[in-house]
mmCIF file of all heavy atoms in Angstrom:
data_model
loop_
_atom_site.group_PDB
_atom_site.id
_atom_site.type_symbol
_atom_site.label_atom_id
_atom_site.label_comp_id
_atom_site.label_asym_id
_atom_site.label_seq_id
_atom_site.Cartn_x
_atom_site.Cartn_y
_atom_site.Cartn_z
ATOM 1 N N GLN R 1 0.837 -1.180 -0.003
ATOM 2 C CA GLN R 1 -0.025 -0.002 -0.012
ATOM 3 C C GLN R 1 0.846 1.245 -0.013
ATOM 4 O O GLN R 1 0.581 2.174 -0.740
ATOM 5 C CB GLN R 1 -0.913 0.023 1.197
ATOM 6 C CG GLN R 1 -2.020 -1.059 1.188
ATOM 7 C CD GLN R 1 -2.791 -1.165 2.492
ATOM 8 O OE1 GLN R 1 -2.264 -0.813 3.538
ATOM 9 N NE2 GLN R 1 -4.021 -1.695 2.418
ATOM 10 N N VAL R 2 1.922 1.316 0.786
ATOM 11 C CA VAL R 2 2.799 2.386 0.817
ATOM 12 C C VAL R 2 3.510 2.651 -0.532
ATOM 13 O O VAL R 2 3.700 3.736 -0.931
ATOM 14 C CB VAL R 2 3.891 2.239 2.009
ATOM 15 C CG1 VAL R 2 4.932 3.285 1.874
ATOM 16 C CG2 VAL R 2 3.188 2.270 3.364
ATOM 17 N N GLY R 3 3.879 1.534 -1.183
ATOM 18 C CA GLY R 3 4.535 1.599 -2.510
ATOM 19 C C GLY R 3 3.633 2.271 -3.476
ATOM 20 O O GLY R 3 4.102 3.146 -4.295
ATOM 21 N N ILE R 4 2.363 1.905 -3.537
ATOM 22 C CA ILE R 4 1.397 2.548 -4.390
ATOM 23 C C ILE R 4 1.235 3.937 -4.087
ATOM 24 O O ILE R 4 1.270 4.854 -5.043
ATOM 25 C CB ILE R 4 0.005 1.795 -4.292
ATOM 26 C CG1 ILE R 4 0.158 0.325 -4.741
ATOM 27 C CG2 ILE R 4 -1.039 2.515 -5.125
ATOM 28 C CD1 ILE R 4 0.551 0.162 -6.150
ATOM 29 N N LEU R 5 1.023 4.322 -2.763
ATOM 30 C CA LEU R 5 0.874 5.744 -2.463
ATOM 31 C C LEU R 5 2.094 6.579 -2.750
ATOM 32 O O LEU R 5 2.058 7.669 -3.160
ATOM 33 C CB LEU R 5 0.517 5.817 -0.894
ATOM 34 C CG LEU R 5 -0.835 5.282 -0.499
ATOM 35 C CD1 LEU R 5 -0.901 5.273 1.101
ATOM 36 C CD2 LEU R 5 -1.949 6.213 -1.030
ATOM 37 N N GLY R 6 3.276 5.971 -2.488
ATOM 38 C CA GLY R 6 4.534 6.642 -2.763
ATOM 39 C C GLY R 6 4.670 6.966 -4.218
ATOM 40 O O GLY R 6 5.065 8.102 -4.652
ATOM 41 N N ALA R 7 4.334 5.981 -5.131
ATOM 42 C CA ALA R 7 4.418 6.181 -6.541
ATOM 43 C C ALA R 7 3.424 7.277 -7.004
ATOM 44 O O ALA R 7 3.721 8.114 -7.821
ATOM 45 C CB ALA R 7 4.214 4.917 -7.248
ATOM 46 N N ALA R 8 2.299 7.275 -6.407
ATOM 47 C CA ALA R 8 1.184 8.225 -6.777
ATOM 48 C C ALA R 8 1.553 9.633 -6.333
ATOM 49 O O ALA R 8 1.096 10.608 -6.914
ATOM 50 C CB ALA R 8 -0.127 7.791 -6.195
ATOM 51 N N SER R 9 2.358 9.797 -5.300
ATOM 52 C CA SER R 9 2.675 11.094 -4.764
ATOM 53 C C SER R 9 3.863 11.746 -5.390
ATOM 54 O O SER R 9 4.189 12.954 -5.199
ATOM 55 C CB SER R 9 2.993 10.986 -3.222
ATOM 56 O OG SER R 9 4.153 10.194 -2.937
ATOM 57 N N ILE R 10 4.610 11.046 -6.296
ATOM 58 C CA ILE R 10 5.771 11.589 -6.942
ATOM 59 C C ILE R 10 5.429 12.809 -7.765
ATOM 60 O O ILE R 10 6.104 13.869 -7.612
ATOM 61 C CB ILE R 10 6.460 10.556 -7.807
ATOM 62 C CG1 ILE R 10 7.125 9.468 -6.861
ATOM 63 C CG2 ILE R 10 7.537 11.184 -8.704
ATOM 64 C CD1 ILE R 10 7.801 8.295 -7.666
ATOM 65 N N PRO R 11 4.405 12.838 -8.587
ATOM 66 C CA PRO R 11 4.041 14.097 -9.338
ATOM 67 C C PRO R 11 3.695 15.274 -8.436
ATOM 68 O O PRO R 11 4.093 16.384 -8.704
ATOM 69 C CB PRO R 11 2.868 13.641 -10.196
ATOM 70 C CG PRO R 11 2.967 12.165 -10.283
ATOM 71 C CD PRO R 11 3.454 11.713 -8.960
ATOM 72 N N LEU R 12 2.990 14.989 -7.347
ATOM 73 C CA LEU R 12 2.645 16.008 -6.370
ATOM 74 C C LEU R 12 3.914 16.623 -5.768
ATOM 75 O O LEU R 12 4.029 17.802 -5.611
ATOM 76 C CB LEU R 12 1.702 15.503 -5.267
ATOM 77 C CG LEU R 12 0.327 15.060 -5.740
ATOM 78 C CD1 LEU R 12 -0.430 14.440 -4.585
ATOM 79 C CD2 LEU R 12 -0.503 16.228 -6.272
ATOM 80 N N ALA R 13 4.838 15.749 -5.364
ATOM 81 C CA ALA R 13 6.051 16.232 -4.767
ATOM 82 C C ALA R 13 6.858 17.006 -5.742
ATOM 83 O O ALA R 13 7.456 18.097 -5.399
ATOM 84 C CB ALA R 13 6.926 15.024 -4.272
ATOM 85 N N TYR R 14 6.926 16.563 -6.979
ATOM 86 C CA TYR R 14 7.687 17.302 -8.075
ATOM 87 C C TYR R 14 7.150 18.706 -8.264
ATOM 88 O O TYR R 14 7.951 19.650 -8.322
ATOM 89 C CB TYR R 14 7.645 16.504 -9.342
ATOM 90 C CG TYR R 14 8.399 17.109 -10.529
ATOM 91 C CD1 TYR R 14 9.778 16.942 -10.609
ATOM 92 C CD2 TYR R 14 7.748 17.885 -11.398
ATOM 93 C CE1 TYR R 14 10.452 17.527 -11.634
ATOM 94 C CE2 TYR R 14 8.477 18.532 -12.464
ATOM 95 C CZ TYR R 14 9.833 18.299 -12.504
ATOM 96 O OH TYR R 14 10.536 18.872 -13.544
ATOM 97 N N PHE R 15 5.864 18.882 -8.356
ATOM 98 C CA PHE R 15 5.304 20.151 -8.736
ATOM 99 C C PHE R 15 5.095 21.131 -7.530
ATOM 100 O O PHE R 15 5.087 22.362 -7.635
ATOM 101 C CB PHE R 15 3.974 19.976 -9.475
ATOM 102 C CG PHE R 15 4.208 19.434 -10.897
ATOM 103 C CD1 PHE R 15 3.812 18.132 -11.131
ATOM 104 C CD2 PHE R 15 4.659 20.250 -11.879
ATOM 105 C CE1 PHE R 15 3.939 17.612 -12.431
ATOM 106 C CE2 PHE R 15 4.817 19.706 -13.114
ATOM 107 C CZ PHE R 15 4.478 18.486 -13.429
ATOM 108 N N PHE R 16 4.931 20.564 -6.313
ATOM 109 C CA PHE R 16 4.492 21.429 -5.192
ATOM 110 C C PHE R 16 5.484 21.444 -4.016
ATOM 111 O O PHE R 16 5.460 22.377 -3.250
ATOM 112 C CB PHE R 16 3.118 20.941 -4.643
ATOM 113 C CG PHE R 16 1.965 21.052 -5.651
ATOM 114 C CD1 PHE R 16 1.453 19.897 -6.275
ATOM 115 C CD2 PHE R 16 1.504 22.308 -5.989
ATOM 116 C CE1 PHE R 16 0.446 20.001 -7.229
ATOM 117 C CE2 PHE R 16 0.521 22.418 -6.976
ATOM 118 C CZ PHE R 16 -0.065 21.238 -7.584
ATOM 119 N N LEU R 17 6.342 20.470 -3.951
ATOM 120 C CA LEU R 17 7.363 20.459 -2.797
ATOM 121 C C LEU R 17 8.757 20.930 -3.193
ATOM 122 O O LEU R 17 9.464 21.567 -2.452
ATOM 123 C CB LEU R 17 7.439 19.009 -2.210
ATOM 124 C CG LEU R 17 6.272 18.599 -1.304
ATOM 125 C CD1 LEU R 17 6.585 17.222 -0.728
ATOM 126 C CD2 LEU R 17 6.124 19.567 -0.147
ATOM 127 N N LEU R 18 9.138 20.566 -4.505
ATOM 128 C CA LEU R 18 10.456 20.942 -4.914
ATOM 129 C C LEU R 18 10.614 22.335 -5.268
ATOM 130 O O LEU R 18 9.694 22.980 -5.843
ATOM 131 C CB LEU R 18 10.831 20.027 -6.123
ATOM 132 C CG LEU R 18 10.932 18.541 -5.864
ATOM 133 C CD1 LEU R 18 11.418 17.806 -7.101
ATOM 134 C CD2 LEU R 18 11.691 18.211 -4.604
ATOM 135 N N LYS R 19 11.841 22.922 -5.003
ATOM 136 C CA LYS R 19 12.129 24.248 -5.441
ATOM 137 C C LYS R 19 12.447 24.227 -6.963
ATOM 138 O O LYS R 19 12.680 23.162 -7.517
ATOM 139 C CB LYS R 19 13.366 24.751 -4.703
ATOM 140 C CG LYS R 19 13.151 24.811 -3.175
ATOM 141 C CD LYS R 19 12.240 25.858 -2.695
ATOM 142 C CE LYS R 19 12.258 25.890 -1.155
ATOM 143 N NZ LYS R 19 11.333 26.917 -0.620
ATOM 144 N N ASP R 20 12.568 25.453 -7.666
ATOM 145 C CA ASP R 20 12.779 25.497 -9.091
ATOM 146 C C ASP R 20 14.192 24.810 -9.388
ATOM 147 O O ASP R 20 14.237 24.114 -10.346
ATOM 148 C CB ASP R 20 12.803 26.937 -9.478
ATOM 149 C CG ASP R 20 11.386 27.536 -9.524
ATOM 150 O OD1 ASP R 20 10.418 26.698 -9.567
ATOM 151 O OD2 ASP R 20 11.251 28.790 -9.520
ATOM 152 N N TYR R 21 15.171 25.141 -8.530
ATOM 153 C CA TYR R 21 16.489 24.539 -8.870
ATOM 154 C C TYR R 21 16.513 23.085 -8.716
ATOM 155 O O TYR R 21 17.365 22.402 -9.351
ATOM 156 C CB TYR R 21 17.589 25.268 -8.071
ATOM 157 C CG TYR R 21 17.778 24.682 -6.635
ATOM 158 C CD1 TYR R 21 18.774 23.656 -6.431
ATOM 159 C CD2 TYR R 21 17.026 25.101 -5.558
ATOM 160 C CE1 TYR R 21 18.961 23.136 -5.180
ATOM 161 C CE2 TYR R 21 17.219 24.545 -4.265
ATOM 162 C CZ TYR R 21 18.159 23.590 -4.105
ATOM 163 O OH TYR R 21 18.416 23.026 -2.870
ATOM 164 N N GLN R 22 15.711 22.560 -7.789
ATOM 165 C CA GLN R 22 15.650 21.074 -7.566
ATOM 166 C C GLN R 22 14.989 20.421 -8.807
ATOM 167 O O GLN R 22 15.464 19.293 -9.222
ATOM 168 C CB GLN R 22 14.961 20.777 -6.270
ATOM 169 C CG GLN R 22 15.728 21.182 -5.023
ATOM 170 C CD GLN R 22 14.880 21.155 -3.743
ATOM 171 O OE1 GLN R 22 13.672 21.226 -3.798
ATOM 172 N NE2 GLN R 22 15.548 21.018 -2.634
ATOM 173 N N ARG R 23 13.976 20.997 -9.327
ATOM 174 C CA ARG R 23 13.350 20.491 -10.559
ATOM 175 C C ARG R 23 14.337 20.579 -11.682
ATOM 176 O O ARG R 23 14.380 19.664 -12.524
ATOM 177 C CB ARG R 23 12.034 21.259 -10.890
ATOM 178 C CG ARG R 23 10.886 20.878 -9.952
ATOM 179 C CD ARG R 23 9.581 21.421 -10.528
ATOM 180 N NE ARG R 23 9.466 22.841 -10.402
ATOM 181 C CZ ARG R 23 8.944 23.468 -9.311
ATOM 182 N NH1 ARG R 23 8.432 22.787 -8.352
ATOM 183 N NH2 ARG R 23 8.855 24.815 -9.321
ATOM 184 N N THR R 24 15.114 21.633 -11.784
ATOM 185 C CA THR R 24 16.137 21.759 -12.781
ATOM 186 C C THR R 24 17.120 20.573 -12.706
ATOM 187 O O THR R 24 17.589 20.113 -13.729
ATOM 188 C CB THR R 24 16.854 23.150 -12.704
ATOM 189 O OG1 THR R 24 15.873 24.171 -12.811
ATOM 190 C CG2 THR R 24 17.911 23.298 -13.833
ATOM 191 N N ARG R 25 17.539 20.258 -11.534
ATOM 192 C CA ARG R 25 18.491 19.132 -11.298
ATOM 193 C C ARG R 25 17.927 17.796 -11.870
ATOM 194 O O ARG R 25 18.612 17.051 -12.441
ATOM 195 C CB ARG R 25 18.836 18.976 -9.843
ATOM 196 C CG ARG R 25 19.731 20.044 -9.318
ATOM 197 C CD ARG R 25 20.120 19.820 -7.900
ATOM 198 N NE ARG R 25 21.193 20.692 -7.411
ATOM 199 C CZ ARG R 25 21.708 20.751 -6.224
ATOM 200 N NH1 ARG R 25 21.249 19.759 -5.276
ATOM 201 N NH2 ARG R 25 22.669 21.597 -5.821
ATOM 202 N N ILE R 26 16.617 17.630 -11.605
ATOM 203 C CA ILE R 26 16.030 16.418 -12.125
ATOM 204 C C ILE R 26 15.964 16.506 -13.653
ATOM 205 O O ILE R 26 16.239 15.444 -14.352
ATOM 206 C CB ILE R 26 14.593 16.201 -11.567
ATOM 207 C CG1 ILE R 26 14.684 15.991 -9.990
ATOM 208 C CG2 ILE R 26 13.844 15.091 -12.191
ATOM 209 C CD1 ILE R 26 13.331 15.913 -9.282
ATOM 210 N N GLN R 27 15.652 17.608 -14.286
ATOM 211 C CA GLN R 27 15.587 17.750 -15.713
ATOM 212 C C GLN R 27 17.020 17.561 -16.302
ATOM 213 O O GLN R 27 17.210 16.876 -17.295
ATOM 214 C CB GLN R 27 15.083 19.053 -16.093
ATOM 215 C CG GLN R 27 13.565 19.246 -15.753
ATOM 216 C CD GLN R 27 13.180 20.688 -15.723
ATOM 217 O OE1 GLN R 27 13.846 21.574 -16.070
ATOM 218 N NE2 GLN R 27 11.898 20.938 -15.303
ATOM 219 N N THR R 28 18.045 17.999 -15.568
ATOM 220 C CA THR R 28 19.388 17.860 -15.989
ATOM 221 C C THR R 28 19.808 16.417 -15.924
ATOM 222 O O THR R 28 20.499 15.885 -16.816
ATOM 223 C CB THR R 28 20.348 18.727 -15.113
ATOM 224 O OG1 THR R 28 19.974 20.064 -15.194
ATOM 225 C CG2 THR R 28 21.820 18.510 -15.461
ATOM 226 N N PHE R 29 19.368 15.706 -14.904
ATOM 227 C CA PHE R 29 19.674 14.329 -14.756
ATOM 228 C C PHE R 29 19.064 13.488 -15.960
ATOM 229 O O PHE R 29 19.758 12.622 -16.541
ATOM 230 C CB PHE R 29 19.031 13.780 -13.416
ATOM 231 C CG PHE R 29 18.692 12.303 -13.427
ATOM 232 C CD1 PHE R 29 19.712 11.365 -13.567
ATOM 233 C CD2 PHE R 29 17.408 11.929 -13.302
ATOM 234 C CE1 PHE R 29 19.395 10.050 -13.552
ATOM 235 C CE2 PHE R 29 17.040 10.529 -13.356
ATOM 236 C CZ PHE R 29 18.060 9.561 -13.466
ATOM 237 N N LEU R 30 17.903 13.893 -16.415
ATOM 238 C CA LEU R 30 17.249 13.208 -17.504
ATOM 239 C C LEU R 30 17.908 13.511 -18.845
ATOM 240 O O LEU R 30 17.975 12.658 -19.716
ATOM 241 C CB LEU R 30 15.730 13.538 -17.540
ATOM 242 C CG LEU R 30 14.905 13.049 -16.356
ATOM 243 C CD1 LEU R 30 13.496 13.609 -16.383
ATOM 244 C CD2 LEU R 30 14.856 11.503 -16.278
ATOM 245 N N ASN R 31 18.411 14.756 -18.931
ATOM 246 C CA ASN R 31 19.100 15.212 -20.181
ATOM 247 C C ASN R 31 20.093 16.186 -19.960
ATOM 248 O O ASN R 31 19.933 17.368 -20.127
ATOM 249 C CB ASN R 31 18.001 15.700 -21.188
ATOM 250 C CG ASN R 31 18.569 15.958 -22.551
ATOM 251 O OD1 ASN R 31 19.688 15.518 -22.852
ATOM 252 N ND2 ASN R 31 17.846 16.692 -23.338
ATOM 253 N N PRO R 32 21.273 15.824 -19.449
ATOM 254 C CA PRO R 32 22.313 16.835 -19.043
ATOM 255 C C PRO R 32 22.889 17.669 -20.190
ATOM 256 O O PRO R 32 23.258 18.797 -20.011
ATOM 257 C CB PRO R 32 23.444 15.896 -18.411
ATOM 258 C CG PRO R 32 23.174 14.569 -18.959
ATOM 259 C CD PRO R 32 21.701 14.428 -19.121
ATOM 260 N N GLU R 33 22.803 17.048 -21.387
ATOM 261 C CA GLU R 33 23.324 17.800 -22.571
ATOM 262 C C GLU R 33 22.427 18.911 -22.988
ATOM 263 O O GLU R 33 22.830 19.789 -23.821
ATOM 264 C CB GLU R 33 23.554 16.760 -23.747
ATOM 265 C CG GLU R 33 24.726 15.803 -23.578
ATOM 266 C CD GLU R 33 24.428 14.654 -22.661
ATOM 267 O OE1 GLU R 33 23.223 14.482 -22.411
ATOM 268 O OE2 GLU R 33 25.323 14.006 -22.251
ATOM 269 N N ALA R 34 21.192 18.980 -22.516
ATOM 270 C CA ALA R 34 20.257 20.002 -22.921
ATOM 271 C C ALA R 34 20.731 21.388 -22.404
ATOM 272 O O ALA R 34 20.409 22.374 -23.103
ATOM 273 C CB ALA R 34 18.865 19.744 -22.366
ATOM 274 N N ASP R 35 21.426 21.444 -21.320
ATOM 275 C CA ASP R 35 21.965 22.721 -20.785
ATOM 276 C C ASP R 35 23.431 22.515 -20.492
ATOM 277 O O ASP R 35 23.867 22.612 -19.330
ATOM 278 C CB ASP R 35 21.170 23.158 -19.600
ATOM 279 C CG ASP R 35 21.506 24.548 -19.191
ATOM 280 O OD1 ASP R 35 22.129 25.336 -19.936
ATOM 281 O OD2 ASP R 35 21.039 25.033 -18.143
ATOM 282 N N LEU R 36 24.185 22.182 -21.457
ATOM 283 C CA LEU R 36 25.607 21.770 -21.237
ATOM 284 C C LEU R 36 26.449 22.782 -20.543
ATOM 285 O O LEU R 36 27.326 22.434 -19.751
ATOM 286 C CB LEU R 36 26.182 21.410 -22.623
ATOM 287 C CG LEU R 36 27.593 20.872 -22.615
ATOM 288 C CD1 LEU R 36 27.672 19.593 -21.767
ATOM 289 C CD2 LEU R 36 28.088 20.555 -24.030
ATOM 290 N N MET R 37 26.223 24.066 -20.856
ATOM 291 C CA MET R 37 27.092 25.110 -20.277
ATOM 292 C C MET R 37 26.690 25.569 -18.997
ATOM 293 O O MET R 37 27.339 26.492 -18.444
ATOM 294 C CB MET R 37 27.270 26.249 -21.251
ATOM 295 C CG MET R 37 27.858 25.851 -22.629
ATOM 296 S SD MET R 37 29.480 25.016 -22.445
ATOM 297 C CE MET R 37 30.447 26.393 -21.828
ATOM 298 N N ASN R 38 25.572 25.133 -18.424
ATOM 299 C CA ASN R 38 25.039 25.618 -17.165
ATOM 300 C C ASN R 38 24.732 24.444 -16.287
ATOM 301 O O ASN R 38 25.649 23.890 -15.638
ATOM 302 C CB ASN R 38 23.722 26.457 -17.465
ATOM 303 C CG ASN R 38 23.322 27.226 -16.206
ATOM 304 O OD1 ASN R 38 24.076 27.307 -15.213
ATOM 305 N ND2 ASN R 38 22.160 27.851 -16.297
ATOM 306 N N SER R 39 23.463 24.069 -16.122
ATOM 307 C CA SER R 39 23.130 23.019 -15.155
ATOM 308 C C SER R 39 23.724 21.644 -15.450
ATOM 309 O O SER R 39 23.867 20.845 -14.538
ATOM 310 C CB SER R 39 21.556 22.933 -15.024
ATOM 311 O OG SER R 39 21.045 22.607 -16.235
ATOM 312 N N GLY R 40 23.947 21.343 -16.660
ATOM 313 C CA GLY R 40 24.480 20.046 -17.040
ATOM 314 C C GLY R 40 25.950 19.970 -17.005
ATOM 315 O O GLY R 40 26.523 18.837 -17.210
#
């Protein structure tokens, strides 16, 4: 049950709990070459 709830809460955490720079880090993790001279 906790696993299901945890998976369901990931989008909420991403959009409402994380700061802008933290979301940028996740985007950089998914595609570091997209901002090669800055966050990547």
Side-chain angles (χ1 to χ4, degrees):
Q1 291 172 334
V2 170
I4 296 296
L5 289 172
S9 66
I10 290 175
L12 294 174
Y14 179 83
F15 288 107
F16 298 106
L17 285 181
L18 298 186
K19 305 287 186 181
D20 288 340
Y21 85 93
Q22 292 168 336
R23 284 194 288 270
T24 299
R25 284 183 173 181
I26 293 175
Q27 293 163 6
T28 300
F29 155 65
L30 295 173
N31 187 13
E33 287 78 14
D35 191 11
L36 184 58
M37 298 306 294
N38 192 10
S39 61

